[in-house]
Amino acid sequence: MRLNRLRNALVAAPLVASLATQAQPAAPAPSYAIMSMVGDKMTLVIHQIGTGSNLDANRRIEVPMPDDTLHGMAAFAADDAVRRLQANAKTSLFVTRDPKLLALQDKLTDSKDDMAALAQQLKPLLASSSASHLLLITKHRAEARLRVLDGSIGSGRLSGLGFYVDKETRMTERDTGNHSTGFVAPYAYLSVTAFDMATLRPLRQEAATASETVSTAASKAALVPWDAMTTEQKFDALKRVTRTAIDTIVPKVLEAQDSARQTPAQALK
C-alpha cells in the first residue's frame, strides 16, 4: 500500500467509527411515575410483654393523617433518590387517598403475590403519566428490629410509618453512663416495586427498614418515653428514617431498569 493510501485509510478509520457512533439513536431519558401509598396513617406501637415467644401482644393505635404529608415524605424521598442516580430522569409524583385502594394495599403487606393486581387498580390514576416505569411505594411488614448502638431491640412486627414506644426497657446512655427506663423509636418499614408502565408487569421489588431509638433520658423534662422528643423532632426523625429506607431500596430497584436499557454489548462488559 502506498504511503498516501495508508495515510487516507488511517484518517478515514476514526471518521467511520465516529459516524457510526453518531448514527446510533440516543437512548431515551428514563422516566418514572412515583406513587406513595404509605402515608394514609401513622401507627403508634406500644410495647406489651407477651406470654408466648411468638405472640405479638403490642398495642397499636392507628392515627389517620388528615393530609398528604406522609405520602409526600416518601414520594419526595424516592424522587430525590432517582435524580441522584439518574440525573436526566423525568419523574412525576402521585398519591391516593382512595380508601378501597389503601385497604387493598394493607392486605398485600404480608403477601406481595397480588401486587400486579394493585397496580392494575391504580391504572386510571396514572393515565396522565407518560412515564416508562412506575415506582410504587407500599408498606412492608417485618419483625421489630429497632436500631441501637450495639444491635437492635424490640418485639412484635412493624409496618409502614410510625413510632414504637417501650416503657419498660432499661436503657444506658453510652456517652454519660446515665440510666433511664423506656424509649421511643420512629420507624419506616417500606417496600418499592418497579413496574413496566405499558403492561404494569412487576419488574423488581425490594424492601428495607430504618429506625432511630431515643431514650427517655434524651429530655430532662420527659417523664414518659413519648415526651423524650418534641413534635418537631418526631416529624424530623420520621422524615430521616423514611429517607434512609428509600435510599436503601431505590438503587436496587433501578438496577432492573439499568439492565433493561443496556445493549447486548454493554451487558457483556
Side-chain angles (χ1 to χ4, degrees):
M1 180 182 290
R2 294 182 180 179
L3 289 178
N4 61 337
R5 290 176 60 190
L6 176 60
R7 181 186 61 190
N8 292 338
L10 292 174
V11 171
L15 178 60
V16 170
S18 176
L19 290 175
T21 301
Q22 294 176 9
Q24 295 178 356
S31 56
Y32 302 94
I34 300 172
M35 172 166 277
S36 170
M37 299 188 72
V38 298
D40 58 313
K41 58 190 173 186
M42 179 182 67
T43 304
L44 302 183
V45 179
I46 314 299
H47 170 66
Q48 303 288 329
I49 299 176
T51 57
S53 59
N54 296 322
L55 180 64
D56 185 349
N58 293 335
R59 184 163 65 96
R60 287 170 170 77
I61 302 173
E62 295 185 345
V63 182
M65 292 292 101
D67 54 32
D68 293 331
T69 298
L70 297 188
H71 280 311
M73 188 183 290
F76 286 127
D79 183 61
D80 289 344
V82 168
R83 291 175 181 275
R84 283 197 303 271
L85 294 164
Q86 300 178 356
N88 64 333
K90 299 178 181 179
T91 59
S92 51
L93 309 186
F94 296 84
V95 299
T96 178
R97 299 183 66 81
D98 186 324
K100 293 182 179 179
L101 294 175
L102 293 170
L104 177 57
Q105 187 262 180
D106 284 340
K107 290 180 180 179
L108 297 176
T109 303
D110 291 308
S111 174
K112 305 302 182 183
D113 294 339
D114 294 327
M115 193 59 73
L118 174 59
Q120 290 293 337
Q121 294 294 319
L122 297 172
K123 195 171 184 178
L125 298 176
L126 301 168
S128 63
S129 174
S130 59
S132 59
H133 293 86
L134 166 65
L135 299 182
L136 180 60
I137 309 169
T138 55
K139 299 169 187 176
H140 168 64
R141 194 185 308 279
E143 296 297 320
R145 295 290 183 267
L146 304 162
R147 185 171 62 86
V148 291
L149 290 175
D150 55 354
S152 63
I153 55 178
S155 66
R157 291 166 68 82
L158 306 177
S159 68
L161 302 175
F163 292 84
Y164 181 100
V165 182
D166 182 317
K167 296 180 287 186
E168 288 89 19
T169 299
R170 183 84 163 166
M171 306 290 287
T172 302
E173 296 291 322
R174 176 164 294 187
D175 294 339
T176 64
N178 294 335
H179 299 286
S180 64
T181 301
F183 65 89
V184 58
Y187 66 83
Y189 279 47
L190 306 177
S191 176
V192 177
T193 308
F195 297 84
D196 176 85
M197 185 67 95
T199 62
L200 289 180
R201 177 176 62 88
L203 300 175
R204 184 161 181 172
Q205 182 180 71
E206 296 287 345
T209 67
S211 62
E212 296 180 4
T213 304
V214 180
S215 71
T216 308
S219 171
K220 295 181 179 178
L223 299 177
V224 293
W226 182 248
D227 294 336
M229 306 174 73
T230 66
T231 299
E232 183 178 2
Q233 288 172 335
K234 291 184 180 89
F235 178 83
D236 289 343
L238 199 58
K239 185 176 180 180
R240 282 195 302 273
V241 295
T242 298
R243 285 190 170 271
T244 298
I246 292 293
D247 286 348
T248 301
I249 299 169
V250 168
K252 299 176 183 178
V253 170
L254 293 191
E255 286 178 4
Q257 281 63 258
D258 289 338
S259 298
R261 281 193 295 270
Q262 285 183 335
T263 65
Q266 290 173 323
L268 292 173
K269 290 182 180 180

